[in-house]
């Protein structure tokens, strides 16, 4: 059984992961509107992954006898200046999520809540992975700059990469 404080922290994380899913879906729609189908596809898969993250927290809360309390999801941004701006926003968002997960981990350590610590370990690893992936995309986009050809190729590359299941 988890503490009330932990239950609240985990419920907040469900909301943050749902917001991530919503944000990435909004980014996917933006890419689609600019005919960047590879990037749109990549972001749509990211959005689905974030929904799965929310459900991992949801299932864990129930499994340890807590109560799931779903809250309103904030509206995400709908417009961006450029694909680079989107991926920079995404990187900042992932850093914010990592910080949030680390804070819950700190609470679990403080409360000697071993089941939650073990559960969170997967997310700590996953965040390292996600930050690294998005950071690479940001750097690639910076290198491509204004090259239309490079941009076109990179859009196709992102579309192809996301078609393969990601290793966990
Ligand atoms: Fe996530
Ligand atoms: Fe994420």
């Amino acid at each position: 059984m988890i503490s009330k404080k932990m239950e609240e922290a985990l419920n907040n994380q469900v909301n943050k992961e749902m917001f991530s899913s919503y944000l990435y879906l909004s980014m996917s729609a933006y890419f689609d509107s600019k005919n960047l189908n590879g990037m749109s596809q990549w972001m749509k898969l990211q959005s689905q992954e974030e929904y799965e993250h929310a459900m991992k927290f949801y299932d864990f809360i129930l499994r340890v006898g807590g109560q799931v309390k779903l809250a309103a999801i904030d509206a995400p941004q709908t417009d961006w200046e450029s694909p680079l701006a989107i991926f920079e926003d995404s990187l900042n968002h992932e850093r914010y999520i990592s910080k949030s997960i680390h804070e819950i981990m700190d609470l679990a350590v403080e409360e000697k809540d071993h089941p939650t610590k073990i559960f969170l370990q997967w997310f700590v690893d996953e965040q390292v992975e996600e930050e690294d992936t998005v950071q690479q995309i940001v750097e690639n986009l910076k290198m491509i700059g204004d090259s239309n050809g490079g941009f076109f190729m990179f859009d196709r590359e992102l579309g192809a990469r996301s078609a393969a299941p990601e290793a966990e």
Side-chain angles (χ1 to χ4, degrees):
M1 186 68 196
I2 49 168
S3 72
K4 278 288 148 197
K5 203 171 164 189
M6 183 57 82
E7 183 188 271
E8 200 188 322
L10 294 172
N11 270 300
N12 282 340
Q13 195 61 35
V14 171
N15 191 265
K16 284 174 186 166
E17 300 291 344
M18 290 298 277
F19 175 76
S20 303
S21 178
Y22 225 34
L23 175 65
Y24 294 160
L25 192 59
S26 186
M27 290 173 170
S28 176
Y30 171 88
F31 282 136
D32 194 81
S33 75
K34 302 287 176 193
N35 294 316
L36 293 166
N37 297 330
M39 293 186 194
S40 175
Q41 166 75 358
W42 193 93
M43 270 302 171
K44 196 181 262 180
L45 285 176
Q46 275 301 104
S47 172
Q48 286 167 9
E49 265 192 41
E50 299 301 350
Y51 174 76
E52 285 163 20
H53 293 170
M55 291 310 291
K56 276 183 198 267
F57 279 97
Y58 171 104
D59 288 336
F60 181 74
I61 294 167
L62 294 178
R63 222 180 319 135
V64 292
Q67 191 187 349
V68 168
K69 293 171 188 163
L70 298 178
I73 305 165
D74 288 341
Q77 194 174 327
T78 52
D79 265 304
W80 285 267
E81 260 179 32
S82 64
L84 176 61
I86 288 198
F87 281 102
E88 281 174 337
D89 275 6
S90 167
L91 180 57
N92 284 331
H93 184 68
E94 288 302 330
R95 286 175 176 157
Y96 159 76
I97 293 292
S98 298
K99 192 166 167 276
S100 174
I101 285 166
H102 295 167
E103 281 166 8
I104 309 173
M105 183 61 109
D106 289 343
L107 180 64
V109 170
E110 193 186 307
E111 294 188 350
K112 299 188 168 64
D113 179 346
H114 296 282
T116 304
K117 262 167 45 184
I118 291 163
F119 166 72
L120 288 172
Q121 187 59 54
W122 184 88
F123 283 94
V124 173
D125 293 340
E126 172 74 5
Q127 285 308 119
V128 172
E129 200 57 47
E130 287 208 4
E131 280 189 38
D132 182 49
T133 305
V134 181
Q135 174 97 52
Q136 274 178 39
I137 293 174
V138 165
E139 274 160 25
N140 285 341
L141 281 172
K142 280 181 182 166
M143 276 192 288
I144 289 163
D146 295 331
S147 155
N148 274 337
F151 203 68
F152 176 76
M153 292 296 286
F154 191 57
D155 181 63
R156 288 193 35 176
E157 195 186 315
L158 280 190
R161 194 188 307 166
S162 59
E166 278 190 27
E168 285 201 355

PDB file of all heavy atoms in Angstrom, residues 12-35:
ATOM      1  N   ASN A  12      -0.396  12.642 -10.327  1.00  0.00           N
ATOM      2  CA  ASN A  12       0.100  13.810 -11.067  1.00  0.00           C
ATOM      3  C   ASN A  12       0.907  13.372 -12.279  1.00  0.00           C
ATOM      4  O   ASN A  12       0.858  13.998 -13.341  1.00  0.00           O
ATOM      5  CB  ASN A  12       0.989  14.682 -10.174  1.00  0.00           C
ATOM      6  CG  ASN A  12       0.174  15.536  -9.223  1.00  0.00           C
ATOM      7  OD1 ASN A  12      -1.006  15.770  -9.451  1.00  0.00           O
ATOM      8  ND2 ASN A  12       0.804  15.981  -8.143  1.00  0.00           N
ATOM      9  N   GLN A  13       1.664  12.290 -12.124  1.00  0.00           N
ATOM     10  CA  GLN A  13       2.484  11.812 -13.234  1.00  0.00           C
ATOM     11  C   GLN A  13       1.609  11.224 -14.351  1.00  0.00           C
ATOM     12  O   GLN A  13       1.934  11.376 -15.525  1.00  0.00           O
ATOM     13  CB  GLN A  13       3.527  10.794 -12.754  1.00  0.00           C
ATOM     14  CG  GLN A  13       4.637  10.533 -13.773  1.00  0.00           C
ATOM     15  CD  GLN A  13       5.459  11.769 -14.124  1.00  0.00           C
ATOM     16  OE1 GLN A  13       5.693  12.635 -13.262  1.00  0.00           O
ATOM     17  NE2 GLN A  13       5.888  11.875 -15.370  1.00  0.00           N
ATOM     18  N   VAL A  14       0.510  10.582 -13.987  1.00  0.00           N
ATOM     19  CA  VAL A  14      -0.445  10.102 -15.009  1.00  0.00           C
ATOM     20  C   VAL A  14      -0.854  11.308 -15.858  1.00  0.00           C
ATOM     21  O   VAL A  14      -0.828  11.268 -17.086  1.00  0.00           O
ATOM     22  CB  VAL A  14      -1.716   9.459 -14.382  1.00  0.00           C
ATOM     23  CG1 VAL A  14      -2.769   9.179 -15.463  1.00  0.00           C
ATOM     24  CG2 VAL A  14      -1.374   8.177 -13.630  1.00  0.00           C
ATOM     25  N   ASN A  15      -1.180  12.406 -15.184  1.00  0.00           N
ATOM     26  CA  ASN A  15      -1.621  13.606 -15.891  1.00  0.00           C
ATOM     27  C   ASN A  15      -0.513  14.173 -16.785  1.00  0.00           C
ATOM     28  O   ASN A  15      -0.759  14.580 -17.921  1.00  0.00           O
ATOM     29  CB  ASN A  15      -2.099  14.652 -14.884  1.00  0.00           C
ATOM     30  CG  ASN A  15      -2.811  15.798 -15.566  1.00  0.00           C
ATOM     31  OD1 ASN A  15      -2.211  16.821 -15.872  1.00  0.00           O
ATOM     32  ND2 ASN A  15      -4.093  15.622 -15.857  1.00  0.00           N
ATOM     33  N   LYS A  16       0.722  14.181 -16.276  1.00  0.00           N
ATOM     34  CA  LYS A  16       1.837  14.713 -17.072  1.00  0.00           C
ATOM     35  C   LYS A  16       2.103  13.855 -18.307  1.00  0.00           C
ATOM     36  O   LYS A  16       2.426  14.376 -19.373  1.00  0.00           O
ATOM     37  CB  LYS A  16       3.109  14.810 -16.216  1.00  0.00           C
ATOM     38  CG  LYS A  16       3.073  15.994 -15.263  1.00  0.00           C
ATOM     39  CD  LYS A  16       4.268  16.009 -14.323  1.00  0.00           C
ATOM     40  CE  LYS A  16       4.110  17.129 -13.296  1.00  0.00           C
ATOM     41  NZ  LYS A  16       5.040  17.004 -12.169  1.00  0.00           N
ATOM     42  N   GLU A  17       1.978  12.541 -18.164  1.00  0.00           N
ATOM     43  CA  GLU A  17       2.200  11.655 -19.313  1.00  0.00           C
ATOM     44  C   GLU A  17       1.062  11.809 -20.334  1.00  0.00           C
ATOM     45  O   GLU A  17       1.294  11.778 -21.541  1.00  0.00           O
ATOM     46  CB  GLU A  17       2.318  10.191 -18.865  1.00  0.00           C
ATOM     47  CG  GLU A  17       3.462   9.902 -17.895  1.00  0.00           C
ATOM     48  CD  GLU A  17       4.859  10.013 -18.499  1.00  0.00           C
ATOM     49  OE1 GLU A  17       4.998  10.031 -19.733  1.00  0.00           O
ATOM     50  OE2 GLU A  17       5.829  10.107 -17.719  1.00  0.00           O
ATOM     51  N   MET A  18      -0.168  12.009 -19.824  1.00  0.00           N
ATOM     52  CA  MET A  18      -1.298  12.245 -20.735  1.00  0.00           C
ATOM     53  C   MET A  18      -1.104  13.569 -21.468  1.00  0.00           C
ATOM     54  O   MET A  18      -1.375  13.671 -22.666  1.00  0.00           O
ATOM     55  CB  MET A  18      -2.632  12.256 -19.966  1.00  0.00           C
ATOM     56  CG  MET A  18      -3.056  10.897 -19.449  1.00  0.00           C
ATOM     57  SD  MET A  18      -3.343   9.658 -20.740  1.00  0.00           S
ATOM     58  CE  MET A  18      -5.004  10.068 -21.222  1.00  0.00           C
ATOM     59  N   PHE A  19      -0.609  14.570 -20.746  1.00  0.00           N
ATOM     60  CA  PHE A  19      -0.341  15.848 -21.398  1.00  0.00           C
ATOM     61  C   PHE A  19       0.757  15.673 -22.457  1.00  0.00           C
ATOM     62  O   PHE A  19       0.661  16.243 -23.553  1.00  0.00           O
ATOM     63  CB  PHE A  19       0.064  16.947 -20.401  1.00  0.00           C
ATOM     64  CG  PHE A  19       0.449  18.220 -21.086  1.00  0.00           C
ATOM     65  CD1 PHE A  19      -0.523  19.058 -21.628  1.00  0.00           C
ATOM     66  CD2 PHE A  19       1.787  18.562 -21.258  1.00  0.00           C
ATOM     67  CE1 PHE A  19      -0.175  20.210 -22.329  1.00  0.00           C
ATOM     68  CE2 PHE A  19       2.143  19.716 -21.955  1.00  0.00           C
ATOM     69  CZ  PHE A  19       1.159  20.543 -22.485  1.00  0.00           C
ATOM     70  N   SER A  20       1.790  14.896 -22.137  1.00  0.00           N
ATOM     71  CA  SER A  20       2.863  14.638 -23.114  1.00  0.00           C
ATOM     72  C   SER A  20       2.270  14.028 -24.379  1.00  0.00           C
ATOM     73  O   SER A  20       2.618  14.413 -25.497  1.00  0.00           O
ATOM     74  CB  SER A  20       3.898  13.655 -22.555  1.00  0.00           C
ATOM     75  OG  SER A  20       4.461  14.121 -21.356  1.00  0.00           O
ATOM     76  N   SER A  21       1.376  13.074 -24.186  1.00  0.00           N
ATOM     77  CA  SER A  21       0.736  12.407 -25.321  1.00  0.00           C
ATOM     78  C   SER A  21      -0.038  13.427 -26.165  1.00  0.00           C
ATOM     79  O   SER A  21       0.043  13.439 -27.397  1.00  0.00           O
ATOM     80  CB  SER A  21      -0.209  11.320 -24.800  1.00  0.00           C
ATOM     81  OG  SER A  21      -0.862  10.689 -25.880  1.00  0.00           O
ATOM     82  N   TYR A  22      -0.745  14.305 -25.487  1.00  0.00           N
ATOM     83  CA  TYR A  22      -1.549  15.338 -26.133  1.00  0.00           C
ATOM     84  C   TYR A  22      -0.658  16.341 -26.880  1.00  0.00           C
ATOM     85  O   TYR A  22      -0.936  16.741 -28.001  1.00  0.00           O
ATOM     86  CB  TYR A  22      -2.303  16.050 -25.025  1.00  0.00           C
ATOM     87  CG  TYR A  22      -3.762  16.320 -25.285  1.00  0.00           C
ATOM     88  CD1 TYR A  22      -4.550  15.436 -26.026  1.00  0.00           C
ATOM     89  CD2 TYR A  22      -4.372  17.466 -24.767  1.00  0.00           C
ATOM     90  CE1 TYR A  22      -5.884  15.710 -26.248  1.00  0.00           C
ATOM     91  CE2 TYR A  22      -5.707  17.735 -24.985  1.00  0.00           C
ATOM     92  CZ  TYR A  22      -6.457  16.863 -25.725  1.00  0.00           C
ATOM     93  OH  TYR A  22      -7.776  17.145 -25.939  1.00  0.00           O
ATOM     94  N   LEU A  23       0.437  16.730 -26.207  1.00  0.00           N
ATOM     95  CA  LEU A  23       1.384  17.686 -26.803  1.00  0.00           C
ATOM     96  C   LEU A  23       1.999  17.103 -28.084  1.00  0.00           C
ATOM     97  O   LEU A  23       2.065  17.772 -29.114  1.00  0.00           O
ATOM     98  CB  LEU A  23       2.490  18.017 -25.788  1.00  0.00           C
ATOM     99  CG  LEU A  23       3.643  18.897 -26.271  1.00  0.00           C
ATOM    100  CD1 LEU A  23       3.172  20.310 -26.643  1.00  0.00           C
ATOM    101  CD2 LEU A  23       4.742  18.997 -25.194  1.00  0.00           C
ATOM    102  N   TYR A  24       2.417  15.848 -28.020  1.00  0.00           N
ATOM    103  CA  TYR A  24       3.065  15.238 -29.186  1.00  0.00           C
ATOM    104  C   TYR A  24       2.075  14.988 -30.316  1.00  0.00           C
ATOM    105  O   TYR A  24       2.433  15.041 -31.492  1.00  0.00           O
ATOM    106  CB  TYR A  24       3.820  13.963 -28.777  1.00  0.00           C
ATOM    107  CG  TYR A  24       5.004  14.265 -27.860  1.00  0.00           C
ATOM    108  CD1 TYR A  24       5.580  13.290 -27.048  1.00  0.00           C
ATOM    109  CD2 TYR A  24       5.555  15.542 -27.809  1.00  0.00           C
ATOM    110  CE1 TYR A  24       6.655  13.583 -26.210  1.00  0.00           C
ATOM    111  CE2 TYR A  24       6.628  15.848 -26.978  1.00  0.00           C
ATOM    112  CZ  TYR A  24       7.170  14.868 -26.188  1.00  0.00           C
ATOM    113  OH  TYR A  24       8.233  15.162 -25.369  1.00  0.00           O
ATOM    114  N   LEU A  25       0.818  14.748 -29.939  1.00  0.00           N
ATOM    115  CA  LEU A  25      -0.208  14.605 -30.971  1.00  0.00           C
ATOM    116  C   LEU A  25      -0.433  15.946 -31.670  1.00  0.00           C
ATOM    117  O   LEU A  25      -0.603  16.004 -32.890  1.00  0.00           O
ATOM    118  CB  LEU A  25      -1.509  14.089 -30.337  1.00  0.00           C
ATOM    119  CG  LEU A  25      -2.594  13.601 -31.308  1.00  0.00           C
ATOM    120  CD1 LEU A  25      -2.089  12.465 -32.187  1.00  0.00           C
ATOM    121  CD2 LEU A  25      -3.829  13.164 -30.533  1.00  0.00           C
ATOM    122  N   SER A  26      -0.385  17.028 -30.896  1.00  0.00           N
ATOM    123  CA  SER A  26      -0.522  18.371 -31.458  1.00  0.00           C
ATOM    124  C   SER A  26       0.656  18.679 -32.393  1.00  0.00           C
ATOM    125  O   SER A  26       0.482  19.256 -33.474  1.00  0.00           O
ATOM    126  CB  SER A  26      -0.593  19.394 -30.322  1.00  0.00           C
ATOM    127  OG  SER A  26      -0.861  20.678 -30.820  1.00  0.00           O
ATOM    128  N   MET A  27       1.853  18.258 -31.985  1.00  0.00           N
ATOM    129  CA  MET A  27       3.038  18.441 -32.830  1.00  0.00           C
ATOM    130  C   MET A  27       2.901  17.615 -34.108  1.00  0.00           C
ATOM    131  O   MET A  27       3.259  18.061 -35.203  1.00  0.00           O
ATOM    132  CB  MET A  27       4.295  18.034 -32.059  1.00  0.00           C
ATOM    133  CG  MET A  27       4.663  18.998 -30.922  1.00  0.00           C
ATOM    134  SD  MET A  27       6.031  18.364 -29.909  1.00  0.00           S
ATOM    135  CE  MET A  27       6.410  19.819 -28.889  1.00  0.00           C
ATOM    136  N   SER A  28       2.376  16.402 -33.968  1.00  0.00           N
ATOM    137  CA  SER A  28       2.173  15.528 -35.125  1.00  0.00           C
ATOM    138  C   SER A  28       1.221  16.188 -36.122  1.00  0.00           C
ATOM    139  O   SER A  28       1.460  16.189 -37.335  1.00  0.00           O
ATOM    140  CB  SER A  28       1.610  14.175 -34.664  1.00  0.00           C
ATOM    141  OG  SER A  28       1.326  13.366 -35.783  1.00  0.00           O
ATOM    142  N   ALA A  29       0.146  16.772 -35.615  1.00  0.00           N
ATOM    143  CA  ALA A  29      -0.837  17.441 -36.476  1.00  0.00           C
ATOM    144  C   ALA A  29      -0.200  18.635 -37.189  1.00  0.00           C
ATOM    145  O   ALA A  29      -0.450  18.871 -38.376  1.00  0.00           O
ATOM    146  CB  ALA A  29      -2.032  17.905 -35.644  1.00  0.00           C
ATOM    147  N   TYR A  30       0.660  19.366 -36.468  1.00  0.00           N
ATOM    148  CA  TYR A  30       1.347  20.510 -37.074  1.00  0.00           C
ATOM    149  C   TYR A  30       2.235  20.038 -38.233  1.00  0.00           C
ATOM    150  O   TYR A  30       2.196  20.605 -39.332  1.00  0.00           O
ATOM    151  CB  TYR A  30       2.186  21.244 -36.020  1.00  0.00           C
ATOM    152  CG  TYR A  30       3.092  22.292 -36.603  1.00  0.00           C
ATOM    153  CD1 TYR A  30       2.647  23.602 -36.791  1.00  0.00           C
ATOM    154  CD2 TYR A  30       4.390  21.964 -37.001  1.00  0.00           C
ATOM    155  CE1 TYR A  30       3.474  24.563 -37.354  1.00  0.00           C
ATOM    156  CE2 TYR A  30       5.222  22.926 -37.563  1.00  0.00           C
ATOM    157  CZ  TYR A  30       4.767  24.215 -37.741  1.00  0.00           C
ATOM    158  OH  TYR A  30       5.581  25.153 -38.302  1.00  0.00           O
ATOM    159  N   PHE A  31       3.008  18.986 -37.984  1.00  0.00           N
ATOM    160  CA  PHE A  31       3.881  18.451 -39.047  1.00  0.00           C
ATOM    161  C   PHE A  31       3.052  18.007 -40.249  1.00  0.00           C
ATOM    162  O   PHE A  31       3.422  18.239 -41.395  1.00  0.00           O
ATOM    163  CB  PHE A  31       4.699  17.264 -38.521  1.00  0.00           C
ATOM    164  CG  PHE A  31       5.886  17.657 -37.678  1.00  0.00           C
ATOM    165  CD1 PHE A  31       6.160  16.991 -36.488  1.00  0.00           C
ATOM    166  CD2 PHE A  31       6.751  18.665 -38.090  1.00  0.00           C
ATOM    167  CE1 PHE A  31       7.266  17.336 -35.716  1.00  0.00           C
ATOM    168  CE2 PHE A  31       7.865  19.019 -37.324  1.00  0.00           C
ATOM    169  CZ  PHE A  31       8.117  18.345 -36.134  1.00  0.00           C
ATOM    170  N   ASP A  32       1.937  17.364 -39.966  1.00  0.00           N
ATOM    171  CA  ASP A  32       1.065  16.898 -41.046  1.00  0.00           C
ATOM    172  C   ASP A  32       0.590  18.090 -41.879  1.00  0.00           C
ATOM    173  O   ASP A  32       0.573  18.030 -43.115  1.00  0.00           O
ATOM    174  CB  ASP A  32      -0.119  16.122 -40.464  1.00  0.00           C
ATOM    175  CG  ASP A  32      -0.852  15.353 -41.533  1.00  0.00           C
ATOM    176  OD1 ASP A  32      -0.391  14.260 -41.913  1.00  0.00           O
ATOM    177  OD2 ASP A  32      -1.879  15.874 -42.025  1.00  0.00           O
ATOM    178  N   SER A  33       0.245  19.189 -41.199  1.00  0.00           N
ATOM    179  CA  SER A  33      -0.250  20.373 -41.918  1.00  0.00           C
ATOM    180  C   SER A  33       0.835  21.000 -42.791  1.00  0.00           C
ATOM    181  O   SER A  33       0.539  21.748 -43.715  1.00  0.00           O
ATOM    182  CB  SER A  33      -0.799  21.407 -40.932  1.00  0.00           C
ATOM    183  OG  SER A  33       0.267  22.067 -40.268  1.00  0.00           O
ATOM    184  N   LYS A  34       2.105  20.694 -42.489  1.00  0.00           N
ATOM    185  CA  LYS A  34       3.217  21.215 -43.294  1.00  0.00           C
ATOM    186  C   LYS A  34       3.732  20.165 -44.280  1.00  0.00           C
ATOM    187  O   LYS A  34       4.815  20.323 -44.859  1.00  0.00           O
ATOM    188  CB  LYS A  34       4.386  21.634 -42.380  1.00  0.00           C
ATOM    189  CG  LYS A  34       4.023  22.681 -41.354  1.00  0.00           C
ATOM    190  CD  LYS A  34       3.831  24.053 -41.984  1.00  0.00           C
ATOM    191  CE  LYS A  34       3.364  25.051 -40.935  1.00  0.00           C
ATOM    192  NZ  LYS A  34       2.877  26.300 -41.491  1.00  0.00           N
ATOM    193  N   ASN A  35       2.984  19.094 -44.422  1.00  0.00           N
ATOM    194  CA  ASN A  35       3.355  17.980 -45.316  1.00  0.00           C
ATOM    195  C   ASN A  35       4.671  17.318 -44.942  1.00  0.00           C
ATOM    196  O   ASN A  35       5.346  16.744 -45.804  1.00  0.00           O
ATOM    197  CB  ASN A  35       3.401  18.431 -46.778  1.00  0.00           C
ATOM    198  CG  ASN A  35       2.023  18.813 -47.275  1.00  0.00           C
ATOM    199  OD1 ASN A  35       1.041  18.096 -47.011  1.00  0.00           O
ATOM    200  ND2 ASN A  35       1.932  19.941 -47.940  1.00  0.00           N
TER     201      ASN A  35
END
